[in-house]
Amino acid sequence: MNLIDISNLFVRFGRHAVLEDISMHVAPREIITIVGPNGSGKTTLLRTIIGAIKFNEGIISRSKGLQFGYVPQRLYVDAALPITVRRFLSLPHYSSDAAINDSLIHAGVGNMGDRQMIDLSGGQFQRVLLARALLGDPDLLILDEATQGLDQPGSAAFYRQIELVRHRLGCAVLMVSHELHVVMAASDRVICLNGHICCQGAPAQVAEAPEYQALFGSGTQGALALYQHDHTHSHHEDHAE
Amino acid sequence: MSWLDSFLVRAVLAGLGVAIAAAPLGCFVVWRRMAYFGDATAHASILGIALALAFSMSIFVGVLVLSLLMAVMVSSLGEKGYAMDTVLGVLAHSALAFGLVVASFLSGIRLDLMGYLFGDILAVGKLDLLVIWCGVMLVLALMRWRWSALLTSTLSLDLAYAAGIDPRREQFFLTISLAMVVAVAIKVIGALLIVALLIIPAATARIYAKTPEQMALISAIIGAVAVVGGLQLAYILDTPAGPTIVCLAAIIFALTHAGKFVKATLLGN
């Protein structure tokens, strides 16, 4: 039983077709990464899945009682709005202190509960967003370029946290990223998007695909290989290179 | 209730009601940067008053309807891609100008324009008081009901959608509440200064608040102090009540911010 089944999805903004004939599914415990150039409709696809954008044609069916946690691209908290991490995690629905502490620990920011949101660093902020997404005990985590604005070690650390969370909680992960080399190796399946689905499959398979290379050039393939190589080493060596 | 016979008691009660209703709404106006939106809604009320008098309708209803119309017009023009700043500039001032022109046709009827522009809190009757407090209770109930959803959509539209909240629906509730606050506040503070009573207490409360709820509560207290103190001052100094209340609020704002600055400087050294 798939968590999400999408068939023949079309999304148009005015006359401009942003997504054309998208069919895909998300199975339990799967990590799926959507890659694609700017303007390829990655964010639109995720926002359509969470219900923020109405689609013109097609079917999106969710498994019964599906709980998903959503980590947005970036979030700007106005300095005029005082809010602690704890209060932020209790929106829009009340969460108990125990649940909040749990999710903060899972996201790797266990001691941040009483901080003001506007005082957090970029990396801490994204982890708090992750903690918020974990609160409902989700079957599926949806992440939209969650590491935008983080430096490379920062985003690598963030994705390791995601892997850890998936391992511990057993949820599926659907994410969008432009940082192919960081993300792809950790994915079970990669979907290459450019308005339509160009190709999909295991990371290595996609990296070899001519459609993928036409979009990203063969340079990224080198980066992917580099990452797979680095994966066996400690993270300090990662940064040194 | 004989204690309501004193105009000063009625004035204080009316002012307190408006201050309390304005507090949570003022916070949203500050967080969502809606100051000019508030101005447009308030300015439209002058046209509402003029039309209500011309057709001998309730002023409260006239203000409510015109303020709502204005809010709807601003939102829909904004969605059509006009620059918000321009839309608000055009609509707010046009509404005020049309209101003043229509009012000038009504010279036969007793129309205290100054009273509506700057408030006439000392002329609040028992019926006015009843209408004001009904409006206040309604606004507070709306705010309490929609608080979490509104706060979530203020923080992020996508987080709201992901939680099954429709931000446009929440915006609509906020707009209704804003129009209602304008309608109940006209007598107390006047169309030109309503936004001041929304923003100044909230901006002052920001210094001390750690959560959104604290900010709303503290701004209600600051608003109440400004209203009661301002009324006393206006009575002693024989100044117009609405502007005096806003002056006091502004002084509190300036003092607290200066205090914060001094404290930061001392601790910093």
Side-chain angles (χ1 to χ4, degrees):
Chain A
M1 179 67 188
N2 289 327
L3 299 176
I4 288 186
D5 264 306
I6 299 175
S7 43
N8 309 104
L9 179 78
F10 286 79
V11 175
R12 295 182 197 96
F13 293 160
R15 280 188 197 158
H16 176 62
V18 185
L19 293 176
E20 288 180 280
D21 202 14
I22 305 289
S23 296
M24 59 173 280
H25 66 271
V26 182
R29 304 184 64 93
E30 214 179 5
I31 296 190
I32 300 179
T33 301
I34 301 172
V35 299
N38 285 336
S40 60
K42 292 169 297 188
T43 295
T44 304
L45 178 57
L46 287 199
R47 297 188 72 226
T48 308
I49 292 174
I50 66 166
I53 293 178
K54 289 202 173 72
F55 51 96
N56 301 83
E57 277 175 53
I59 299 169
I60 298 181
S61 56
R62 299 174 180 176
S63 70
K64 219 175 150 197
L66 174 73
Q67 285 285 335
F68 66 86
Y70 174 64
V71 182
Q73 201 164 54
R74 62 186 186 283
L75 200 155
Y76 170 75
V77 174
D78 198 297
L81 176 51
I83 187 162
T84 58
V85 168
R86 198 171 292 284
R87 181 70 187 92
F88 178 71
L89 293 185
S90 222
L91 271 177
H93 306 296
Y94 170 80
S95 305
S96 70
D97 264 4
I100 288 174
N101 291 339
D102 251 18
S103 72
L104 284 173
I105 290 168
H106 274 304
V109 277
N111 51 353
M112 297 275 160
D114 297 317
R115 290 269 206 103
Q116 286 287 312
M117 290 295 288
I118 52 168
D119 293 337
L120 300 179
S121 74
Q124 290 165 346
F125 201 109
Q126 288 314 116
R127 280 159 196 267
V128 167
L129 287 177
L130 174 63
R132 188 180 180 282
L134 293 178
L135 269 172
D137 230 344
D139 314 300
L140 171 62
L141 264 184
I142 299 180
L143 298 96
D144 185 4
E145 305 241 13
T147 58
Q148 224 178 35
L150 301 189
D151 57 11
Q152 223 177 2
S155 39
F158 187 80
Y159 286 117
R160 278 198 299 277
Q161 192 77 45
I162 298 287
E163 273 190 272
L164 204 65
V165 163
R166 199 270 299 243
H167 187 68
R168 277 192 204 148
L169 304 183
C171 51
V173 178
L174 174 63
M175 60 185 165
V176 153
S177 183
H178 59 280
E179 291 159 308
L180 309 173
H181 55 293
V182 183
V183 168
M184 280 176 78
S187 314
D188 300 313
R189 206 143 54 85
V190 175
I191 295 176
C192 179
L193 190 73
N194 192 20
H196 59 285
I197 293 181
C198 304
C199 56
Q200 57 176 316
Q205 216 178 330
V206 167
E208 296 289 325
E211 294 92 341
Y212 175 83
Q213 294 195 353
L215 276 178
F216 294 100
S218 49
T220 45
Q221 196 196 348
L224 175 66
L226 186 71
Y227 177 71
Q228 284 173 332
H229 169 74
D230 281 348
H231 203 63
T232 55
H233 295 281
S234 84
H235 302 303
H236 293 289
E237 288 175 50
D238 260 5
H239 304 327
E241 284 187 21
Chain B
M1 286 186 280
S2 58
W3 50 278
L4 283 179
D5 288 341
S6 156
F7 70 91
L8 209 55
V9 170
R10 290 196 302 268
V12 167
L13 287 177
L16 280 179
V18 170
I20 291 169
L25 217 56
C27 289
F28 278 114
V29 169
V30 167
W31 297 333
R32 297 167 77 110
R33 310 197 166 193
M34 290 168 64
Y36 285 105
F37 187 82
D39 260 335
T41 315
H43 286 176
S45 64
I46 291 296
L47 185 56
I49 290 166
L51 290 175
L53 287 173
F55 296 104
S56 347
M57 283 172 5
S58 146
I59 288 182
F60 181 79
V61 173
V63 169
L64 199 59
V65 169
L66 259 288
S67 299
L68 269 178
L69 270 180
M70 172 61 95
V72 170
M73 216 147 74
V74 170
S75 325
S76 52
L77 279 179
E79 276 167 21
K80 290 214 166 65
Y82 290 89
M84 211 36 160
D85 197 46
T86 311
V87 169
L88 288 169
V90 171
L91 289 180
H93 297 110
S94 315
L96 184 60
F98 274 103
L100 294 174
V101 167
V102 172
S104 75
F105 286 126
L106 300 171
S107 51
I109 306 167
R110 191 194 68 83
L111 174 58
D112 175 15
L113 204 53
M114 285 293 277
Y116 291 115
L117 287 175
F118 298 108
D120 194 5
I121 194 169
L122 300 179
V124 170
K126 283 183 186 172
L127 186 64
D128 295 323
L129 199 56
L130 183 69
V131 170
I132 287 175
W133 270 93
C134 286
V136 169
M137 287 305 169
L138 213 56
V139 167
L140 289 181
L142 260 177
M143 282 286 113
R144 166 123 183 73
W145 179 39
R146 304 314 310 167
W147 183 260
S148 281
L150 255 171
L151 202 52
T152 308
S153 28
T154 300
L155 276 161
S156 154
L157 296 181
D158 282 347
L159 283 186
Y161 278 119
I165 296 166
D166 181 355
R168 293 171 48 132
R169 182 165 169 260
E170 303 309 324
Q171 163 88 42
F172 172 71
F173 284 117
L174 194 62
T175 305
I176 291 187
S177 310
L178 194 62
M180 269 200 310
V181 165
V182 168
V184 300
I186 283 275
K187 270 241 150 159
V188 175
I189 205 100
L192 292 186
L193 291 175
I194 284 171
V195 175
L197 199 62
L198 285 169
I199 289 183
I200 299 177
T204 311
R206 172 63 187 97
I207 297 182
Y208 305 104
K210 294 203 160 42
T211 62
E213 292 75 18
Q214 279 179 14
M215 183 156 150
L217 195 70
I218 296 172
S219 94
I221 294 170
I222 292 171
V225 169
V227 164
V228 175
L231 276 173
Q232 300 286 336
L233 277 177
Y235 191 63
I236 296 167
L237 303 174
D238 193 22
T239 47
T244 312
I245 290 170
V246 174
C247 284
L248 185 57
I251 291 170
I252 296 173
F253 173 86
L255 287 180
T256 51
H257 277 264
K260 182 193 171 197
F261 178 73
V262 169
K263 196 174 150 196
T265 316
L266 289 179
L267 289 178
N269 293 341

